[in-house]
Amino acid sequence: MKASPSRIAVAIGVAAVLLLVIIMSPMLMTSIPSFIGSGGGDPADCKPGAVQGEEVSDTGVSDIPPRMLELYKKHGEKIGVQWNVLAAVGKRETDHGRSDLPGVKSGTNYAGAAGPMQFLISTWGGKAQLSVSEEFNGYASDGDGDGIGDVYNPADAILGAAKMLKRNGAPENVRRALFVYNRAWWYVDQVMEIAGKYAKSGEVKVPPEADPLCDEPIVAGAPNELVKRILAYALAQRGKPYLWGGTGPDAFDCSGIIYMAYQSVGLSIPRTTFTQWPFGVRINPGQEQPGDLVFFNAGPGTGPDNPGHVGLVVSKGKMVEARCRLCGPIKVTTYDDRTSLMGFTRPLMNPDVLEQLKKLQNTL
């Protein structure tokens, strides 16, 4: 019987894993630490860089009111989105609040939008002004410290816009974030064009870890070939949406992407965050390396020794994560600044994983 293309592909994949095991077997036979390796770290040309470092062009200086420019920069840096994208949204929506059209300074326009950044009142929080100490569902924000989220106040509106862009994919996937802001690709194109003109470089810069050109040095910085393949799989899923219980190929949850990354090299680890936590060997903070897992006390039903969220370490301080449905697409993010960080584990040092590699080797 003639083999199907899918069976041939599976056979090739298995053969690649087995060849990898042969290459690595001398290290397996000596000691676990030598198998795991000790290299890694951020590649020099792809270290994290602030997207806020973009200088203002002459066009930006002449067109953006000084106070508004200050707010775009301040809140862009605070939330972690490109200031020139915020400024471009402000320009496209209301000419930085200078428009006299309905809804800019009071009331709403024909679509129900209000304020200098043109939020729907329902998206803002249900009413134009509300105390940020209230419970509400929306982006209402206090950008000037008076305790009120006022959709007509530029400081509040710009901070709210920054949060909305961040939640929907910025600074990595700016176009997606802008499409959620106003669901029209022509709008996205217009805002991106304006944002480019406001920057001295003429560009909308993204964090280095969002640039596919940085994938190769990140992967190259892994301690061994096995980890390189695990990272390559995880990085290839960036931009896909979060789905609770998802294991791909179109969407993943936090533990699902890690489970499948290990599956891609022929290794089976537990499926859920709760079961992945006790599976790997604990690693002291600062000793983690690519391929390790980083856990967080976040999400329902979690506690001090019962993490609800997990990411895959790709380099020091950086992880691939599928965070939540409203947190934007799968992407590379930081973990050092997370107050809920619980600890690190190394699944590759679990005896069952080492046994899996030996069995693969013995099937040759």
Side-chain angles (χ1 to χ4, degrees):
M1 181 176 69
K2 185 177 179 181
S4 68
S6 61
R7 288 185 176 181
I8 293 173
V10 170
I12 291 173
V14 171
V17 172
L18 295 178
L19 178 60
L20 180 61
V21 173
I22 292 175
I23 293 172
M24 296 176 63
S25 60
M27 293 183 285
L28 265 171
M29 296 302 107
T30 55
S31 65
I32 289 175
S34 64
F35 164 65
I36 299 301
S38 59
D42 271 335
D45 56 345
C46 285
K47 287 184 177 180
V51 295
Q52 301 304 320
E54 183 66 70
E55 294 185 39
V56 187
S57 67
D58 292 340
T59 298
V61 171
S62 63
D63 189 48
I64 306 172
R67 174 57 179 160
M68 295 293 280
L69 178 58
E70 178 185 345
L71 291 171
Y72 294 136
K73 287 189 169 186
K74 174 184 176 181
H75 294 314
E77 182 175 6
K78 177 179 180 180
I79 301 302
V81 301
Q82 296 90 334
W83 71 262
N84 54 323
V85 173
L86 276 175
V89 171
K91 174 66 175 181
R92 175 62 184 77
E93 295 291 352
T94 66
D95 191 23
H96 306 299
R98 292 178 292 210
S99 173
D100 291 323
L101 290 173
V104 177
K105 299 177 176 66
S106 64
T108 63
N109 67 7
Y110 69 94
M117 304 302 280
Q118 290 291 277
F119 272 95
L120 295 176
I121 296 299
S122 58
T123 304
W124 184 250
K127 52 185 178 180
Q129 294 94 12
L130 66 158
S131 169
V132 293
S133 63
E134 298 179 37
E135 289 189 9
F136 59 89
N137 183 21
Y139 292 97
S141 303
D142 177 15
D144 59 3
D146 64 358
I148 302 297
D150 184 348
V151 75
Y152 304 107
N153 181 333
D156 298 348
I158 291 170
L159 178 57
K163 291 179 179 178
M164 185 173 181
L165 292 173
K166 177 73 171 181
R167 171 161 284 188
N168 291 298
E172 296 88 358
N173 195 335
V174 183
R175 291 184 61 85
R176 179 188 184 280
L178 288 170
F179 182 79
V180 176
Y181 201 95
N182 189 335
R183 294 181 179 274
W185 288 114
W186 57 261
Y187 173 88
V188 175
D189 292 337
Q190 288 181 4
V191 171
M192 292 293 283
E193 182 180 0
I194 296 168
K197 291 178 179 178
Y198 282 164
K200 196 169 186 178
S201 67
E203 302 174 358
V204 175
K205 292 184 177 179
V206 298
E209 62 267 23
D211 189 339
L213 293 176
C214 285
D215 285 2
E216 184 174 347
I218 287 176
V219 172
N224 55 54
E225 290 299 319
L226 183 65
V227 176
K228 287 179 183 179
R229 292 185 59 196
I230 292 171
L231 299 191
Y233 179 93
L235 289 167
Q237 311 315 311
R238 286 178 306 174
K240 294 181 180 179
Y242 174 93
L243 176 66
W244 188 83
T247 55
D250 299 322
F252 300 81
D253 67 10
C254 64
S255 56
I257 187 174
I258 294 170
Y259 173 77
M260 292 306 297
Y262 275 80
Q263 285 279 336
S264 73
V265 297
L267 298 176
S268 179
I269 66 171
R271 161 65 185 88
T272 67
T273 303
F274 299 120
T275 52
Q276 287 174 358
W277 171 241
F279 182 78
V281 174
R282 299 289 176 89
I283 301 298
N284 291 329
Q287 300 301 311
E288 74 276 6
Q289 60 188 29
D292 291 345
L293 309 189
V294 53
F295 292 86
F296 303 88
N297 181 8
T302 67
D305 196 39
N306 193 37
H309 183 58
V310 61
L312 176 69
V313 176
V314 295
S315 63
K316 287 291 186 182
K318 296 291 181 180
M319 63 180 171
V320 169
E321 71 168 337
R323 190 168 185 180
C324 71
R325 185 177 63 83
L326 297 177
C327 299
I330 295 168
K331 55 189 173 183
V332 174
T333 59
T334 60
Y335 58 77
D336 286 337
D337 57 351
R338 300 279 183 90
T339 57
S340 58
L341 195 156
M342 285 179 54
F344 304 88
T345 70
R346 188 164 295 164
L348 289 174
M349 289 183 69
N350 179 279
D352 184 56
V353 171
L354 295 175
E355 189 63 29
Q356 290 178 50
L357 285 170
K358 290 178 183 179
K359 287 180 179 179
L360 286 173
Q361 180 186 6
N362 291 335
T363 60
L364 291 175

